[in-house]
Amino acid sequence: MMPCSQSSPALRVADLRREFTPAERARIPHLWRFWARPDQLPPPGDWRTWLILAGRGWGKSRTGAEWVRAVVASGAARRVALVARTAADVRDVLIEGESGILACCPDSERPVWEPSKRRLTWPSGAIATTYSAEEPDQLRGPQHDAAWCDELAAWRYPDAWDQLQMGLRLGSDPRVCVTTTPRPTPLVRALAASATTAITRGRTADNASNLAPGVVAALTARYGSTRLGRQELDGEILDDAPGALWRLAMFDASRVDAAPAMRRVVVAVDPAVTAHEGSDETGIIVAGVGLDGRVYVLEDLSGTYPAEQWARRAVEAYRRHRADRIVAEVNNGGDLVASVLRTVDPACHVVSVRASRGKALRAEPVAALYEQGRVSHVGLLARLEDQCAGWDPATDTSSPDRLDALVWALTDLVVDRPIAPLQARPMLVRSQGRAW
């Protein structure tokens, strides 16, 4: 491998093409130490975890894939664990992605990918097995001498990390590379504070020369002065906003892996009026009251959608959860909002709501439910939780769409109709989501 140079990649490639044979030239795209920025190379020292906290587009996936390739090629690793948020993420990003392992390896080193066995096998005999963080029990039992964990901050079940650590017991120096956009989860904070962790931090702008022209400028113009931009572009671990009504600790303290049977379920929609680049998102939150009397936030389906698409996603959630109603804010759109929903399903029960009070006044009683420990999130709802903990009603004039939908859902479920004690409703059961 060639050591890093300070000259531009284009000049260095020109030099190589003049000096190398055709066979050697074919290997140029795979000379990672030639292409990599210094911060994309493994840090020196005696570390167990290399924690890469960087913004979107920094080059985290390529760095992780090249690290796996290097430890396998050197013989330092023979049994590797590849873990991502979901099974699809492992396949689409870590294995088959444009910066994934298959794309990084030259033909002579390329492993055989067997999706049915969740296995990559290198010509040397080294094996990498894929795991989904949504199924922590997959990691019970298997042993490894290296692991690449992607987007750790977004893992729904942090227990997957514990199971992985218990299986890292092969070889003389088992190590883990973690590539993630930062978020102040307890696991990320604990790793960052560990004496055995080497940390690399980076910003989206660090990799601007390898991104589409204008992308960094456009993202910076849109998000540069926001908390979301500081986290997603600059790679900062942010604390709660000073005047926020929610604290991230509230969500962590009452989080559950699964919800019980439900008394009532609603789908709340805060529709955006446009769906072009730079538009607000449409907030879509599914929440319910369990037979145990607690409130459970079941799904966050928010995103930037045209009207027909957000309506379809809301109706699909209404059907999937056998919800009692769709609660739709009509401040922007009026009767058209309910009309679009009924175009998808004429039989769906839509209740229109209109904001007549300020956002903070509507949010305060809902935040109080969290303070009282009466609300649980099912799994990690990262974008929703970040938005809640980052919104200071005294200083933030933005329109937090996911938060708005959450407030409408819990207002309908609890604030406007106190939950009756369970013993007062002895005949109420729910069969496949329907109340009888």
Coordinates of all heavy atoms in Angstrom, one line a residue, residues 36-77:
A36 N -7.7 7.5 1.0 CA -8.3 7.9 2.3 C -7.7 9.2 2.8 O -6.5 9.5 2.6 CB -8.1 6.8 3.3
R37 N -8.6 10.0 3.5 CA -8.1 11.1 4.2 C -7.5 10.6 5.5 O -7.8 9.5 6.0 CB -9.3 12.1 4.6 CG -10.0 12.6 3.4 CD -11.0 13.7 3.9 NE -11.9 13.2 4.9 CZ -13.1 12.5 4.7 NH1 -13.5 12.3 3.4 NH2 -13.8 12.1 5.7
P38 N -6.6 11.3 6.1 CA -5.9 10.7 7.4 C -6.9 10.3 8.4 O -6.7 9.3 9.1 CB -5.0 11.9 7.8 CG -4.7 12.6 6.5 CD -5.9 12.5 5.7
D39 N -8.0 11.1 8.6 CA -9.0 10.7 9.6 C -9.8 9.5 9.3 O -10.6 9.0 10.1 CB -9.9 11.9 10.0 CG -10.6 12.4 8.7 OD1 -10.4 11.9 7.6 OD2 -11.5 13.4 8.9
Q40 N -9.7 9.0 8.1 CA -10.4 7.7 7.7 C -9.5 6.5 7.9 O -10.0 5.4 7.7 CB -10.8 7.8 6.3 CG -11.9 8.8 6.0 CD -12.4 8.8 4.5 OE1 -11.6 9.2 3.7 NE2 -13.6 8.4 4.3
L41 N -8.3 6.6 8.4 CA -7.4 5.5 8.7 C -7.5 5.2 10.2 O -7.7 6.1 11.0 CB -6.0 5.8 8.2 CG -5.8 6.1 6.7 CD1 -4.4 6.6 6.4 CD2 -6.2 4.9 5.9
P42 N -7.3 3.9 10.5 CA -7.4 3.5 11.9 C -6.4 4.3 12.8 O -5.3 4.5 12.4 CB -7.1 2.0 11.9 CG -7.4 1.6 10.5 CD -7.1 2.7 9.6
P43 N -6.9 4.7 13.9 CA -6.0 5.5 14.8 C -5.0 4.6 15.5 O -5.2 3.4 15.6 CB -7.0 6.1 15.9 CG -8.1 5.1 15.9 CD -8.3 4.6 14.5
P44 N -3.8 5.1 15.8 CA -2.8 4.3 16.5 C -3.3 4.1 18.0 O -4.2 4.7 18.5 CB -1.6 5.2 16.5 CG -2.1 6.6 16.4 CD -3.4 6.5 15.6
G45 N -2.6 3.2 18.6 CA -2.8 3.0 20.1 C -3.5 1.7 20.4 O -4.0 1.0 19.5
D46 N -3.7 1.4 21.6 CA -4.3 0.2 22.1 C -5.8 0.4 22.4 O -6.2 0.6 23.6 CB -3.6 -0.3 23.4 CG -4.1 -1.6 23.9 OD1 -4.7 -2.3 23.1 OD2 -3.9 -1.9 25.1
W47 N -6.6 0.5 21.4 CA -8.0 0.7 21.6 C -8.8 -0.6 21.3 O -8.4 -1.5 20.5 CB -8.5 1.8 20.7 CG -8.2 1.7 19.2 CD1 -7.1 2.3 18.6 CD2 -8.8 1.0 18.2 NE1 -7.0 1.9 17.3 CE2 -8.1 1.1 17.0 CE3 -10.0 0.2 18.1 CZ2 -8.5 0.6 15.8 CZ3 -10.4 -0.4 16.9 CH2 -9.6 -0.2 15.8
R48 N -10.0 -0.7 21.8 CA -10.9 -1.8 21.6 C -12.0 -1.4 20.6 O -12.4 -2.2 19.8 CB -11.5 -2.4 22.9 CG -12.4 -3.6 22.7 CD -12.9 -4.1 24.0 NE -14.0 -5.1 23.8 CZ -13.7 -6.4 23.6 NH1 -12.4 -6.8 23.6 NH2 -14.7 -7.3 23.5
T49 N -12.5 -0.2 20.7 CA -13.5 0.3 19.9 C -13.1 1.6 19.2 O -12.6 2.5 19.8 CB -14.8 0.6 20.7 OG1 -15.2 -0.5 21.4 CG2 -15.9 1.1 19.8
W50 N -13.2 1.6 17.9 CA -13.0 2.8 17.1 C -14.3 3.4 16.8 O -15.1 2.9 16.0 CB -12.2 2.5 15.8 CG -11.9 3.7 14.9 CD1 -12.0 5.0 15.3 CD2 -11.6 3.6 13.5 NE1 -11.6 5.8 14.2 CE2 -11.4 5.0 13.1 CE3 -11.4 2.6 12.6 CZ2 -11.0 5.3 11.8 CZ3 -11.0 2.9 11.3 CH2 -10.9 4.3 10.9
L51 N -14.7 4.5 17.5 CA -16.0 5.2 17.4 C -15.9 6.4 16.4 O -15.2 7.4 16.7 CB -16.4 5.6 18.8 CG -17.8 6.4 18.8 CD1 -18.9 5.5 18.3 CD2 -18.0 6.8 20.3
I52 N -16.5 6.2 15.2 CA -16.5 7.3 14.2 C -17.8 8.0 14.3 O -18.9 7.5 14.0 CB -16.3 6.7 12.8 CG1 -15.0 5.9 12.8 CG2 -16.3 7.8 11.8 CD1 -14.7 5.2 11.4
L53 N -17.8 9.2 14.8 CA -19.0 10.1 15.0 C -18.9 11.2 13.9 O -18.1 12.1 14.0 CB -19.0 10.7 16.4 CG -19.0 9.8 17.6 CD1 -18.8 10.5 18.9 CD2 -20.4 9.0 17.6
A54 N -19.6 11.1 12.9 CA -19.5 12.0 11.8 C -20.8 12.3 11.1 O -21.8 11.5 11.2 CB -18.5 11.4 10.7
G55 N -20.9 13.4 10.4 CA -22.1 13.8 9.7 C -22.4 12.9 8.5 O -21.5 12.1 8.0
R56 N -23.6 13.1 7.9 CA -24.0 12.3 6.7 C -23.0 12.6 5.6 O -22.7 13.8 5.3 CB -25.4 12.7 6.3 CG -26.5 12.5 7.4 CD -26.8 11.1 7.6 NE -27.9 10.9 8.5 CZ -29.2 10.9 8.2 NH1 -29.5 11.1 6.9 NH2 -30.1 10.7 9.1
G57 N -22.6 11.6 4.8 CA -21.8 11.8 3.7 C -20.3 12.0 4.0 O -19.5 12.3 3.0
W58 N -19.9 11.8 5.2 CA -18.5 12.0 5.6 C -17.6 10.9 5.0 O -16.4 11.1 4.7 CB -18.4 12.0 7.1 CG -17.0 12.1 7.6 CD1 -16.3 13.2 7.9 CD2 -16.1 11.0 8.0 NE1 -15.0 12.9 8.4 CE2 -14.9 11.5 8.5 CE3 -16.3 9.6 8.0 CZ2 -13.9 10.7 9.0 CZ3 -15.3 8.8 8.5 CH2 -14.1 9.4 9.0
G59 N -18.2 9.8 4.7 CA -17.5 8.6 4.3 C -17.4 7.5 5.3 O -16.5 6.7 5.3
K60 N -18.4 7.4 6.2 CA -18.4 6.4 7.2 C -18.5 5.0 6.7 O -17.7 4.1 7.1 CB -19.5 6.7 8.2 CG -19.4 8.0 9.0 CD -20.5 8.1 10.0 CE -21.9 8.1 9.5 NZ -22.2 9.3 8.7
S61 N -19.3 4.8 5.7 CA -19.5 3.4 5.2 C -18.3 2.9 4.5 O -17.8 1.8 4.7 CB -20.7 3.4 4.2 OG -21.9 3.7 4.8
R62 N -17.6 3.8 3.7 CA -16.4 3.4 3.0 C -15.3 3.1 4.0 O -14.6 2.1 3.9 CB -15.9 4.5 2.1 CG -14.6 4.2 1.3 CD -14.8 3.1 0.3 NE -13.5 2.7 -0.3 CZ -13.0 3.3 -1.4 NH1 -13.7 4.3 -2.0 NH2 -11.9 2.9 -1.9
T63 N -15.2 3.9 5.1 CA -14.2 3.7 6.1 C -14.4 2.4 6.8 O -13.5 1.6 7.0 CB -14.2 4.9 7.1 OG1 -14.0 6.1 6.4 CG2 -13.2 4.7 8.2
G64 N -15.7 2.1 7.2 CA -15.9 0.8 7.9 C -15.7 -0.4 7.0 O -15.1 -1.4 7.4
A65 N -16.1 -0.3 5.7 CA -15.8 -1.4 4.8 C -14.3 -1.6 4.5 O -13.9 -2.8 4.5 CB -16.5 -1.1 3.4
E66 N -13.6 -0.6 4.4 CA -12.2 -0.7 4.2 C -11.4 -1.2 5.4 O -10.4 -1.9 5.3 CB -11.6 0.7 3.7 CG -12.0 1.1 2.4 CD -11.4 0.3 1.2 OE1 -10.6 -0.6 1.5 OE2 -11.7 0.7 0.1
W67 N -11.9 -0.9 6.6 CA -11.4 -1.4 7.8 C -11.5 -2.9 7.9 O -10.6 -3.7 8.2 CB -12.0 -0.7 9.0 CG -11.4 -1.3 10.3 CD1 -10.2 -0.9 10.9 CD2 -12.0 -2.2 11.2 NE1 -10.1 -1.6 12.1 CE2 -11.2 -2.4 12.3 CE3 -13.2 -2.9 11.1 CZ2 -11.4 -3.3 13.3 CZ3 -13.5 -3.8 12.2 CH2 -12.6 -4.0 13.2
V68 N -12.8 -3.4 7.6 CA -13.0 -4.8 7.5 C -12.1 -5.5 6.5 O -11.5 -6.5 6.8 CB -14.5 -5.1 7.2 CG1 -14.7 -6.6 7.0 CG2 -15.4 -4.6 8.3
R69 N -12.0 -4.9 5.3 CA -11.1 -5.5 4.3 C -9.7 -5.6 4.8 O -9.0 -6.6 4.6 CB -11.2 -4.6 3.0 CG -10.3 -5.0 1.9 CD -10.3 -4.0 0.8 NE -9.1 -4.2 -0.1 CZ -8.6 -3.3 -0.8 NH1 -9.1 -2.0 -0.8 NH2 -7.6 -3.5 -1.6
A70 N -9.2 -4.5 5.5 CA -7.8 -4.5 5.9 C -7.6 -5.6 7.0 O -6.5 -6.2 7.0 CB -7.5 -3.1 6.4
V71 N -8.5 -5.7 8.0 CA -8.2 -6.7 9.1 C -8.3 -8.1 8.6 O -7.6 -9.0 9.1 CB -9.1 -6.4 10.3 CG1 -8.9 -5.1 10.9 CG2 -10.6 -6.6 9.9
V72 N -9.1 -8.3 7.6 CA -9.2 -9.7 7.0 C -7.9 -9.9 6.2 O -7.3 -11.0 6.3 CB -10.5 -9.8 6.1 CG1 -10.4 -11.1 5.2 CG2 -11.7 -9.8 7.0
A73 N -7.5 -9.0 5.3 CA -6.3 -9.1 4.5 C -5.1 -9.4 5.3 O -4.2 -10.1 4.9 CB -6.2 -7.9 3.6
S74 N -5.0 -8.7 6.5 CA -3.8 -8.8 7.3 C -3.8 -10.1 8.1 O -2.8 -10.5 8.7 CB -3.7 -7.6 8.3 OG -4.7 -7.7 9.2
G75 N -4.9 -10.8 8.2 CA -5.0 -12.0 9.0 C -5.4 -11.7 10.4 O -5.5 -12.7 11.2
A76 N -5.6 -10.5 10.8 CA -6.0 -10.1 12.1 C -7.4 -10.6 12.5 O -7.7 -10.7 13.7 CB -5.9 -8.6 12.3
A77 N -8.2 -10.8 11.5 CA -9.6 -11.2 11.7 C -10.0 -12.4 10.8 O -9.7 -12.4 9.6 CB -10.6 -10.1 11.5

